[in-house]
Each structure stands twice: as structure tokens, then as C-alpha cells.
Amino acid sequence: MDKLKIRNSVIIVAAGRGQRAGGVKPKQWQTILGKRVVDWTVSKFFDHPLINEVILVTDSIEEAKSFPNEVIIVKGGYERSQSVLNGLLMVSDNISNVLIHDAARPCVTSKLISSVIEGLAVFDCVIPILPVTNALWEIDRNKINLVKSLDRDLFKTTQTPQGFNRAKILKAYQNNYITAADDAAIALKSGMKISTIDGEASNIKITHAKDFKLAEFYMEN
């Protein structure tokens, strides 16, 4: 297919409460270097030449009114899976691929976005991954005692943006609704073949209060 005819949308999920990060507001609405976290995140995709549509899923509709009219605002669901489905239902019919990204990852690079999109020219599902570098152990049900050491080479951590064929990921969410940590789990349950690419260490997800400073460091360097 002609690359010029392939249109790409991104769903940015910003409906979480982010309580572990502290602060009066959810983490995505707090600021880094004078801009809200979600502003940084949206701008990375809004300014990307291969992204044709930006959809922001949020519970904070009033906060989101400051975005350009071209950003489609969608009400979030009670759980992340419902928020993603709400976003998928708003994707335009002429879109071929959908990227799904956490609003709390404001350090995502244009290079990583491009790599996911390039992978979708061949595969229906592209997931950025990183190796596990620390020793990995299984613990008991009380989350206290070490049980056995695991081979860390058999495990990876996933990042977003995760990319999908639009029609197939929409069908996957409609037919296999589960509470999932990420969209790759939904794709796997639906039988989609998952391809992986190298993620980026700087593409952190802001989770705790200290992560704001780390994100600021990556943005400045």
C-alpha cells in the first residue's frame, strides 16, 4: 500500500487518577518545565508528520478544552480498557493504524513513534520493549519471601506507544473485553501476532513523585 494513503491515529489515554505520584491533580495534569505533562505528550504526536489524528481520552474535560480544536476529546471510562475502547470508537473510518499511548509518558521521541508506524507496514501489532536488567525473582503470595530466581532473558517490559491495525484492535476490544495492564494483552488474547521493536530507556512512565524530575532531566538532555 502506498505510504501516502496510510493514515495513522493516536489515542492518548489520560483518564487515570495517578495517586502514587502525589499532588492535588492527577499526574498528567501536573507540570514539567512550565507545561502540563499531557501537553508535552500531545505535542509529540500532534507535531509528528505521520500522525493524522489525535484523540485524547480523559475524565477532565474542562482541563482538556485548552487543546486545539483538531484534538478530539473523548470521555474516559472507569477502567483503562474502557477508556481505550471509548477512544477506538471515535477513530475516523479512513484511518489504517492506531497508536495507543499513555499520557504519563511525555518523553516519547519522534523516532520511536516513527519506528512503531514503520513496523505497522508489515505487522498488525507493534510493541516497544526493553530488557530486564536487574535480577528477577518470584516471591510468595504474601509478597515477602523470595521463592526462586527467574531467567531475566525470558522477560521484557513493554512501553507505549503500542501500534495496531485499526480494524483488528477495535474488534479485539469489542470481543475480548478484559481488565488489562496494556493493549498488547488484549491483542494477544484476540490471537493477533505481536511484533516487537526496541523501546527507549528515556521513555519513562511517570508513576511516582520522583519521576517528574527524571522526566525533566530527559527533556533537557
XYZ file of all heavy atoms in Angstrom, residues 93-171:
618
model
N -13.006 6.568 10.112
C -13.074 5.373 9.269
C -11.922 5.270 8.275
O -11.585 4.180 7.813
C -14.407 5.335 8.509
C -15.588 5.090 9.433
O -15.373 4.552 10.540
O -16.728 5.440 9.047
N -11.336 6.410 7.917
C -10.262 6.378 6.918
C -8.883 6.145 7.518
O -7.865 6.240 6.838
C -10.248 7.676 6.101
C -9.929 8.905 6.958
O -9.841 8.831 8.182
N -9.745 10.043 6.301
N -8.846 5.824 8.798
C -7.583 5.546 9.490
C -7.215 4.068 9.336
O -8.056 3.190 9.513
C -7.694 5.901 10.983
C -7.850 7.412 11.165
C -6.510 5.365 11.769
C -6.635 8.223 10.777
N -5.951 3.809 9.013
C -5.462 2.436 8.857
C -4.899 1.870 10.161
O -5.171 0.727 10.529
C -4.372 2.382 7.787
O -4.832 2.869 6.554
N -4.105 2.683 10.855
C -3.407 2.229 12.059
C -3.718 3.129 13.243
O -3.926 4.328 13.085
C -1.889 2.241 11.834
C -1.469 1.372 10.666
O -1.943 0.255 10.505
N -0.559 1.896 9.840
N -3.693 2.517 14.429
C -3.908 3.266 15.659
C -2.745 3.017 16.607
O -2.381 1.873 16.866
C -5.217 2.845 16.353
C -5.376 3.583 17.675
C -6.412 3.108 15.470
N -2.167 4.100 17.103
C -1.198 4.013 18.183
C -1.919 4.342 19.472
O -2.778 5.239 19.506
C -0.035 4.988 17.969
C 1.089 4.560 17.023
C 0.573 4.335 15.610
C 2.213 5.579 17.043
N -1.605 3.614 20.542
C -2.220 3.861 21.849
C -1.095 4.184 22.816
O -0.126 3.423 22.955
C -3.037 2.651 22.325
C -4.104 2.292 21.277
C -3.699 2.949 23.674
C -4.887 1.022 21.580
N -1.218 5.337 23.488
C -0.096 5.851 24.283
C -0.578 6.379 25.622
O -1.657 6.973 25.731
C 0.609 6.963 23.511
C 1.863 7.457 24.158
N 2.990 6.684 24.270
C 2.168 8.660 24.739
C 3.949 7.379 24.875
N 3.472 8.582 25.176
N 0.242 6.171 26.650
C -0.055 6.687 27.981
C 0.295 8.167 28.057
O 1.421 8.558 27.719
C 0.750 5.938 29.042
C 0.435 4.451 29.082
O -0.763 4.116 28.989
O 1.367 3.638 29.208
N -0.629 8.973 28.541
C -0.364 10.408 28.682
C 0.813 10.669 29.612
O 1.495 11.681 29.486
C -1.605 11.119 29.211
N 1.068 9.752 30.535
C 2.137 9.929 31.517
C 3.513 9.554 30.980
O 4.468 9.419 31.748
C 1.833 9.109 32.769
N 3.639 9.409 29.655
C 4.950 9.190 29.027
C 5.258 10.386 28.116
O 5.173 10.291 26.892
C 4.953 7.894 28.207
C 4.888 6.612 29.038
C 5.070 5.393 28.157
N 4.870 4.147 28.855
C 5.836 3.457 29.480
N 7.069 3.917 29.456
N 5.554 2.326 30.093
N 5.623 11.516 28.705
C 5.834 12.734 27.909
C 7.179 12.787 27.189
O 7.402 13.695 26.386
C 5.756 13.842 28.964
C 6.303 13.195 30.206
C 5.791 11.779 30.151
N 8.077 11.842 27.476
C 9.413 11.878 26.871
C 9.506 11.033 25.605
O 10.609 10.825 25.087
C 10.460 11.406 27.886
S 10.550 12.416 29.379
N 8.397 10.537 25.127
C 8.409 9.745 23.897
C 9.029 10.568 22.766
O 8.800 11.772 22.657
C 6.979 9.299 23.522
C 6.054 10.469 23.277
C 7.000 8.354 22.333
N 9.824 9.912 21.931
C 10.516 10.627 20.853
C 9.837 10.412 19.509
O 9.123 9.420 19.299
C 11.972 10.157 20.732
O 11.994 8.769 20.334
C 12.717 10.326 22.051
N 10.094 11.335 18.609
C 9.592 11.214 17.243
C 10.133 9.953 16.592
O 9.435 9.290 15.817
C 9.996 12.447 16.443
O 9.565 12.362 15.101
N 11.364 9.592 16.920
C 11.983 8.394 16.351
C 11.222 7.137 16.749
O 10.979 6.261 15.903
C 13.440 8.290 16.824
C 14.162 7.059 16.309
C 15.592 7.003 16.848
C 16.287 5.718 16.386
N 17.677 5.640 16.945
N 10.827 7.025 18.014
C 10.092 5.841 18.460
C 8.713 5.781 17.804
O 8.252 4.713 17.391
C 9.961 5.835 19.981
C 9.294 4.582 20.578
C 10.054 3.319 20.193
C 9.180 4.697 22.098
N 8.045 6.920 17.720
C 6.738 6.967 17.054
C 6.874 6.481 15.614
O 6.087 5.656 15.133
C 6.162 8.394 17.101
C 5.878 8.809 18.545
C 4.880 8.482 16.261
C 5.552 10.286 18.710
N 7.888 6.974 14.917
C 8.115 6.570 13.522
C 8.406 5.081 13.414
O 7.933 4.409 12.483
C 9.278 7.363 12.928
O 8.972 8.735 12.852
N 9.174 4.547 14.359
C 9.530 3.126 14.325
C 8.299 2.231 14.481
O 8.178 1.203 13.813
C 10.550 2.815 15.425
O 11.767 3.479 15.201
N 7.392 2.637 15.360
C 6.151 1.866 15.528
C 5.341 1.893 14.231
O 4.854 0.863 13.759
C 5.318 2.417 16.706
C 3.948 1.746 16.755
C 6.062 2.207 18.022
N 5.202 3.065 13.644
C 4.432 3.204 12.399
C 5.075 2.409 11.271
O 4.380 1.728 10.495
C 4.291 4.691 12.022
C 3.404 5.411 13.052
C 3.699 4.842 10.617
C 3.349 6.915 12.874
N 6.390 2.444 11.170
C 7.084 1.678 10.131
C 6.833 0.180 10.292
O 6.653 -0.543 9.312
C 8.575 1.984 10.183
C 8.931 3.382 9.678
C 10.363 3.772 9.995
O 11.125 2.900 10.496
O 10.726 4.943 9.762
N 6.818 -0.285 11.525
C 6.548 -1.696 11.774
C 5.159 -2.117 11.355
O 4.927 -3.259 10.929
N 4.212 -1.185 11.438
C 2.816 -1.491 11.071
C 2.632 -1.645 9.565
O 1.577 -2.088 9.116
C 1.887 -0.407 11.613
C 1.729 -0.397 13.141
C 0.960 0.842 13.594
C 1.041 -1.665 13.632
N 3.643 -1.305 8.785
C 3.582 -1.558 7.346
C 3.697 -3.049 7.054
O 3.309 -3.520 5.981
C 4.703 -0.802 6.632
N 4.198 -3.805 8.042
C 4.403 -5.248 7.869
C 3.541 -6.065 8.830
O 2.998 -7.107 8.462
C 5.891 -5.601 8.085
C 6.126 -7.102 7.913
C 6.777 -4.798 7.141
N 3.399 -5.574 10.060
C 2.717 -6.324 11.109
C 1.430 -5.617 11.545
O 1.276 -4.415 11.362
C 3.633 -6.501 12.323
C 4.920 -7.218 12.015
C 6.095 -6.495 11.822
C 4.954 -8.594 11.909
C 7.284 -7.146 11.537
C 6.141 -9.258 11.630
C 7.312 -8.538 11.438
N 0.530 -6.385 12.151
C -0.731 -5.827 12.651
C -0.598 -5.269 14.062
O -1.500 -4.581 14.542
C -1.825 -6.902 12.654
C -2.265 -7.268 11.256
O -2.204 -6.399 10.362
O -2.675 -8.427 11.046
N 0.521 -5.567 14.727
C 0.697 -5.156 16.111
C 2.184 -4.961 16.374
O 2.978 -5.887 16.142
C 0.115 -6.223 17.036
S 0.304 -5.906 18.784
N 2.573 -3.792 16.856
C 3.978 -3.482 17.119
C 4.106 -2.919 18.532
O 3.465 -1.914 18.860
C 4.544 -2.482 16.098
C 5.988 -2.144 16.429
C 4.440 -3.043 14.684
N 4.948 -3.563 19.355
C 5.082 -3.192 20.757
C 6.541 -2.874 21.086
O 7.421 -3.715 20.874
C 4.617 -4.348 21.681
C 3.226 -4.854 21.276
C 4.636 -3.907 23.143
C 2.116 -3.862 21.415
N 6.830 -1.684 21.624
C 8.192 -1.389 22.080
C 8.485 -2.142 23.382
O 7.646 -2.165 24.296
C 8.188 0.119 22.327
C 6.913 0.627 21.721
C 5.956 -0.505 21.764
N 9.673 -2.738 23.470
C 10.048 -3.484 24.676
C 11.437 -3.093 25.129
O 12.247 -2.589 24.362
C 9.986 -5.009 24.452
C 10.976 -5.425 23.357
C 8.568 -5.455 24.128
C 11.143 -6.940 23.230
N 11.704 -3.347 26.407
C 13.021 -3.146 26.992
C 13.416 -4.412 27.749
O 12.555 -5.116 28.304
C 13.017 -1.968 27.959
C 12.941 -0.554 27.371
C 12.875 0.459 28.510
C 14.134 -0.263 26.480
N 14.720 -4.705 27.809
C 15.168 -5.875 28.578
C 15.054 -5.618 30.075
O 15.056 -4.469 30.531
C 16.633 -6.025 28.161
C 17.053 -4.634 27.787
C 15.839 -4.010 27.148
N 14.938 -6.701 30.833
C 15.001 -6.621 32.291
C 16.476 -6.685 32.672
O 17.164 -7.647 32.330
C 14.217 -7.772 32.947
C 14.378 -7.732 34.466
C 12.745 -7.696 32.567
N 16.967 -5.664 33.351
C 18.398 -5.604 33.650
C 18.736 -6.036 35.073
O 19.877 -6.420 35.346
C 18.931 -4.181 33.420
O 18.174 -3.263 34.208
C 18.808 -3.790 31.956
N 17.785 -5.981 35.999
C 18.028 -6.413 37.369
C 17.759 -7.906 37.522
O 17.077 -8.512 36.689
C 17.135 -5.638 38.345
C 17.468 -4.167 38.391
O 18.638 -3.787 38.374
N 16.449 -3.326 38.440
N 18.284 -8.492 38.588
C 17.959 -9.878 38.907
C 16.443 -9.973 39.126
O 15.816 -9.067 39.674
C 18.706 -10.329 40.158
N 15.862 -11.081 38.694
C 14.405 -11.249 38.731
C 14.058 -12.457 39.586
O 14.581 -13.558 39.370
C 13.878 -11.435 37.307
C 12.371 -11.339 37.093
C 11.865 -9.946 37.446
C 12.025 -11.665 35.641
N 13.179 -12.234 40.555
C 12.789 -13.291 41.482
C 11.272 -13.418 41.570
O 10.554 -12.422 41.504
C 13.325 -12.984 42.888
C 14.781 -13.267 43.069
C 15.823 -12.479 42.678
C 15.357 -14.407 43.697
N 17.011 -13.047 43.018
C 16.765 -14.240 43.654
C 14.824 -15.550 44.292
C 17.637 -15.178 44.175
C 15.695 -16.478 44.824
C 17.090 -16.299 44.758
N 10.824 -14.635 41.751
C 9.421 -14.886 42.108
C 9.314 -14.827 43.622
O 10.201 -15.333 44.330
C 8.979 -16.266 41.613
C 7.537 -16.607 41.967
C 7.130 -18.003 41.523
O 7.791 -18.568 40.623
O 6.152 -18.550 42.082
N 8.253 -14.191 44.132
C 8.051 -14.121 45.575
C 6.768 -14.848 45.953
O 5.951 -15.210 45.095
C 7.996 -12.664 46.061
C 6.848 -11.903 45.383
C 9.327 -11.970 45.808
C 6.686 -10.476 45.919
N 6.584 -15.071 47.246
C 5.406 -15.808 47.700
C 4.170 -14.915 47.688
O 4.240 -13.725 47.381
C 5.635 -16.409 49.092
C 5.885 -15.349 50.158
O 5.559 -14.160 49.926
O 6.410 -15.701 51.226
N 3.027 -15.511 48.009
C 1.756 -14.791 47.935
C 1.674 -13.638 48.927
O 0.880 -12.710 48.764
C 0.589 -15.754 48.149
C 0.424 -16.761 47.024
C -0.785 -17.659 47.235
N -0.953 -18.607 46.148
C -1.568 -18.331 45.002
N -2.094 -17.136 44.818
N -1.670 -19.248 44.069
N 2.479 -13.705 49.978
C 2.495 -12.619 50.957
C 3.388 -11.461 50.526
O 3.493 -10.459 51.230
C 2.972 -13.148 52.315
C 1.993 -14.151 52.911
O 0.782 -13.974 52.809
N 2.530 -15.194 53.523
N 4.048 -11.639 49.353
C 4.931 -10.617 48.786
C 6.059 -10.235 49.742
O 6.476 -9.076 49.824
C 4.118 -9.370 48.395
C 3.044 -9.653 47.370
C 2.292 -8.387 46.976
C 1.226 -8.702 45.938
N 0.464 -7.490 45.537
N 6.559 -11.258 50.453
C 7.621 -11.035 51.428
C 8.862 -11.863 51.093
O 9.970 -11.339 51.009
C 7.138 -11.375 52.858
C 5.980 -10.454 53.258
C 8.290 -11.275 53.845
C 5.370 -10.788 54.597
N 8.671 -13.164 50.905
C 9.796 -14.079 50.775
C 10.127 -14.405 49.325
O 9.236 -14.569 48.488
C 9.486 -15.388 51.524
C 9.250 -15.150 53.000
O 10.048 -14.498 53.666
N 8.144 -15.674 53.530
N 11.433 -14.508 49.050
C 11.877 -14.938 47.732
C 11.626 -16.426 47.575
O 11.876 -17.213 48.491
C 13.373 -14.647 47.553
C 13.815 -13.187 47.658
C 15.322 -13.089 47.499
C 13.126 -12.345 46.611
N 11.116 -16.828 46.405
C 10.809 -18.237 46.161
C 11.837 -18.860 45.226
O 12.445 -19.883 45.535
C 9.390 -18.399 45.577
C 9.114 -19.856 45.221
C 8.349 -17.891 46.564
N 12.032 -18.242 44.057
C 13.035 -18.773 43.138
C 13.495 -17.688 42.180
O 12.758 -16.753 41.860
C 12.490 -19.965 42.358
C 11.335 -19.648 41.427
C 10.905 -20.907 40.669
C 9.715 -20.614 39.744
N 9.286 -21.808 39.016
N 14.730 -17.861 41.717
C 15.300 -16.931 40.754
C 14.792 -17.272 39.357
O 14.641 -18.442 39.007
C 16.826 -17.026 40.787
O 17.398 -16.174 39.819
N 14.509 -16.234 38.554
C 13.990 -16.428 37.203
C 15.015 -15.961 36.184
O 15.836 -15.084 36.464
C 12.685 -15.653 37.029
C 11.558 -15.984 38.011
C 10.380 -15.044 37.806
C 11.113 -17.435 37.864
N 14.946 -16.545 35.007
C 15.845 -16.169 33.921
C 15.342 -14.850 33.319
O 14.356 -14.829 32.593
C 15.878 -17.271 32.867
C 16.859 -16.970 31.738
O 17.433 -15.862 31.725
O 17.029 -17.840 30.857
N 16.036 -13.764 33.600
C 15.555 -12.455 33.157
C 15.561 -12.311 31.636
O 14.854 -11.456 31.088
C 16.390 -11.344 33.785
C 17.841 -11.316 33.367
C 18.617 -10.303 34.166
N 20.021 -10.291 33.795
C 20.968 -9.693 34.498
N 20.647 -9.058 35.611
N 22.224 -9.716 34.103
N 16.333 -13.145 30.940
C 16.359 -13.084 29.480
C 15.032 -13.522 28.864
O 14.773 -13.267 27.683
C 17.485 -13.953 28.923
C 18.864 -13.371 29.226
O 18.935 -12.147 29.456
O 19.838 -14.137 29.255
N 14.202 -14.180 29.666
C 12.899 -14.636 29.178
C 11.796 -13.610 29.427
O 10.638 -13.859 29.105
C 12.518 -15.966 29.844
C 13.465 -17.149 29.592
C 12.981 -18.375 30.362
C 13.564 -17.452 28.099
N 12.159 -12.461 29.994
C 11.164 -11.445 30.345
C 11.548 -10.097 29.742
O 12.719 -9.763 29.617
C 11.040 -11.309 31.869
C 10.527 -12.552 32.537
C 11.394 -13.559 32.904
C 9.175 -12.706 32.792
C 10.929 -14.712 33.524
C 8.687 -13.845 33.395
C 9.562 -14.862 33.765
N 10.534 -9.340 29.381
C 10.713 -7.989 28.853
C 9.680 -7.072 29.491
O 8.622 -7.515 29.936
C 10.552 -7.954 27.328
C 11.459 -8.905 26.555
C 12.925 -8.512 26.655
C 13.798 -9.489 25.867
N 15.244 -9.179 26.008
N 9.975 -5.780 29.518
C 8.968 -4.802 29.914
C 8.469 -4.098 28.653
O 9.217 -3.928 27.693
C 9.548 -3.764 30.890
O 10.604 -3.040 30.253
C 10.073 -4.434 32.138
N 7.206 -3.722 28.653
C 6.625 -3.069 27.488
C 6.468 -1.574 27.729
O 6.388 -1.112 28.865
C 5.250 -3.660 27.134
O 4.360 -3.475 28.247
C 5.369 -5.144 26.808
N 6.447 -0.829 26.633
C 6.212 0.609 26.674
C 5.057 0.959 25.735
O 4.515 0.097 25.048
C 7.469 1.362 26.216
C 8.692 1.200 27.086
C 9.839 2.092 26.619
O 10.079 2.278 25.435
N 10.563 2.658 27.573
N 4.701 2.218 25.741
C 3.831 2.754 24.703
C 4.609 3.877 24.007
O 5.571 4.393 24.586
C 2.513 3.316 25.293
O 2.792 4.474 26.094
C 1.799 2.271 26.120
N 4.262 4.231 22.766
C 3.050 3.841 22.042
C 3.108 2.411 21.518
O 4.144 1.953 21.045
C 2.998 4.833 20.878
C 4.437 5.164 20.618
C 5.083 5.194 21.974
N 1.968 1.726 21.635
C 1.801 0.421 21.027
C 0.926 0.607 19.788
O -0.078 1.329 19.838
C 1.163 -0.546 22.023
C 2.033 -0.741 23.262
C 1.461 -1.707 24.272
O 0.346 -2.204 24.125
N 2.230 -1.975 25.323
N 1.331 0.005 18.676
C 0.657 0.251 17.409
C -0.136 -0.939 16.925
O 0.276 -2.090 17.117
N -1.267 -0.665 16.265
C -2.172 -1.732 15.846
C -2.871 -1.393 14.535
O -3.094 -0.222 14.221
C -3.266 -1.966 16.911
C -2.741 -2.202 18.286
C -2.537 -1.139 19.159
C -2.424 -3.479 18.714
C -2.038 -1.343 20.432
C -1.920 -3.698 19.993
C -1.734 -2.628 20.851
N -3.233 -2.433 13.810
C -4.180 -2.290 12.721
C -5.509 -1.847 13.335
O -6.008 -2.481 14.280
C -4.341 -3.626 11.997
C -5.455 -3.626 10.987
O -6.623 -3.811 11.330
N -5.097 -3.432 9.731
N -6.072 -0.756 12.842
C -7.264 -0.179 13.476
C -8.421 -1.163 13.582
O -9.013 -1.343 14.649
C -7.736 1.060 12.712
C -8.982 1.716 13.321
C -9.530 2.817 12.449
N -10.124 2.312 11.221
C -11.384 1.865 11.128
N -12.173 1.853 12.193
N -11.855 1.441 9.973
N -8.780 -1.802 12.478
C -9.939 -2.690 12.471
C -9.750 -3.869 13.419
O -10.680 -4.273 14.129
C -10.207 -3.182 11.048
N -8.531 -4.407 13.466
C -8.291 -5.601 14.276
C -8.256 -5.295 15.764
O -8.768 -6.073 16.573
C -6.994 -6.277 13.831
C -7.111 -6.903 12.450
C -5.872 -7.695 12.062
C -6.061 -8.358 10.696
N -4.891 -9.178 10.296
N -7.669 -4.156 16.154
C -7.642 -3.845 17.587
C -9.027 -3.431 18.081
O -9.409 -3.724 19.215
C -6.579 -2.772 17.918
C -6.354 -2.697 19.429
C -6.955 -1.419 17.348
C -5.830 -3.961 20.068
N -9.821 -2.785 17.230
C -11.185 -2.450 17.615
C -11.993 -3.721 17.838
O -12.695 -3.863 18.842
C -11.861 -1.586 16.546
C -13.348 -1.276 16.769
C -13.563 -0.562 18.097
C -13.894 -0.438 15.611
N -11.877 -4.666 16.923
C -12.580 -5.942 17.063
C -12.107 -6.681 18.307
O -12.905 -7.281 19.035
C -12.362 -6.800 15.823
C -13.121 -8.121 15.847
C -12.901 -8.892 14.552
C -13.656 -10.221 14.577
N -13.418 -10.990 13.318
